[in-house]
Amino acid sequence: SKSGSTGWYARTGKRLFDLSFALLLLPLLTPVIGLLWLIARTAGGPGFFGHERIGKNGVPFRCWKIRSMVRNADRRLADLLESDPLAREEWLCDQKLSNDPRITQFGAFIRRTSLDELPQIFNVVRGEMSFVGPRPIVEEELQRYGKFRATYLAINTGITGLWQVYGRNSIEYSERVALDVKYRSEMSFIKDARLIALTVRCIVVPTGV
């Protein structure tokens, strides 16, 4: 049955696919990640940035990226939100800023091309993330999922997914939650493969941060 095959994929197949695909990509991506790390490192500060996110079953993990922000990013954000009511309103609404002063010039480039997220392949190898799944969120965002909180916590978060391909910055948070619920209910190898292919297209033809 369809639900039976979806269940097997969620339990076993997805992890097998993640590991196989990661081992295939690692020889290609490791030199690229190394180069990006070096460029970020040369600008001062660490090359990698690990931010705590909530994973499957509510287990926190460090989600790795190439550092795209200035070193004192948290302080800069706090100062901005304190002094700029419009920025504070935008941040409270989406946890994002359309004009973020914390992002470096190199950071803007790697975010636009999604190259900053390449180190998450190490999260996939460790079993903390999947190639496809809900966008990893911070603990405060869990309350926004309301009755769908358990849906988010039921599976590994993903490097890419429905929101990353179809939403990006153009949708409300409630729509983002709805996409995660839709993904969970329709998850399959074919759909994951299609989302990965669409993600590659998004990187080749960048749509924004």
Side-chain angles (χ1 to χ4, degrees):
S1 71
K2 188 177 185 298
S3 61
S5 62
T6 301
W8 180 86
Y9 183 66
R11 285 191 311 272
T12 311
K14 195 170 174 63
R15 181 66 184 144
L16 287 174
F17 170 66
D18 282 339
L19 273 177
S20 305
F21 196 38
L23 291 173
L24 192 70
L25 290 178
L26 273 172
L28 303 170
L29 294 185
T30 302
V32 179
I33 292 169
L35 178 62
L36 294 171
W37 173 86
L38 191 63
I39 295 170
R41 187 85 181 80
T42 304
F48 290 128
F49 174 70
H51 198 257
E52 189 173 282
R53 301 295 171 101
I54 300 300
K56 186 177 179 179
N57 299 323
V59 178
F61 70 96
R62 284 207 169 275
C63 181
W64 290 104
K65 294 188 176 190
I66 300 291
R67 185 173 59 84
S68 59
M69 292 189 177
V70 294
R71 269 188 287 184
N72 57 341
D74 288 345
R75 182 73 256 160
R76 286 281 286 272
L77 177 64
D79 291 345
L80 177 71
L81 299 185
E82 203 175 300
S83 62
D84 188 335
L86 286 176
R88 186 163 63 246
E89 189 180 330
E90 185 184 5
W91 180 259
L92 287 172
C93 185
D94 292 322
Q95 300 282 304
K96 278 181 174 286
L97 294 171
S98 49
N99 187 21
D100 197 326
R102 301 171 298 165
I103 300 171
T104 64
Q105 197 172 355
F106 172 66
F109 165 71
I110 59 175
R111 279 172 167 237
R112 194 167 60 247
T113 53
S114 298
L115 290 170
D116 63 318
E117 303 199 358
L118 289 182
Q120 286 166 32
I121 193 169
F122 302 126
N123 289 117
V124 172
V125 172
R126 289 164 61 95
E128 297 163 332
M129 290 181 71
S130 178
F131 276 105
V132 186
R135 186 186 71 94
I137 60 173
V138 296
E139 193 166 8
E140 304 89 78
E141 289 178 88
L142 258 182
Q143 62 190 15
R144 293 179 179 231
Y145 277 72
K147 64 179 181 180
F148 299 116
R149 177 188 171 111
T151 302
Y152 172 85
L153 296 174
I155 53 174
N156 271 340
T157 58
I159 297 176
T160 190
L162 286 173
W163 173 78
Q164 296 92 321
V165 170
Y166 295 113
R168 301 294 283 184
N169 292 344
S170 60
I171 62 171
E172 300 289 322
Y173 206 101
S174 58
E175 293 176 89
R176 187 186 298 181
V177 172
L179 286 175
D180 286 347
V181 173
K182 177 181 167 67
Y183 173 75
R184 175 73 180 95
S185 66
E186 300 177 355
M187 188 166 59
S188 72
F189 169 73
I190 297 295
K191 292 196 171 170
D192 277 5
R194 185 167 180 271
L195 284 168
I196 289 169
L198 288 169
T199 301
V200 172
R201 192 182 72 180
C202 286
I203 292 170
V204 174
V205 187
T207 54
V209 176

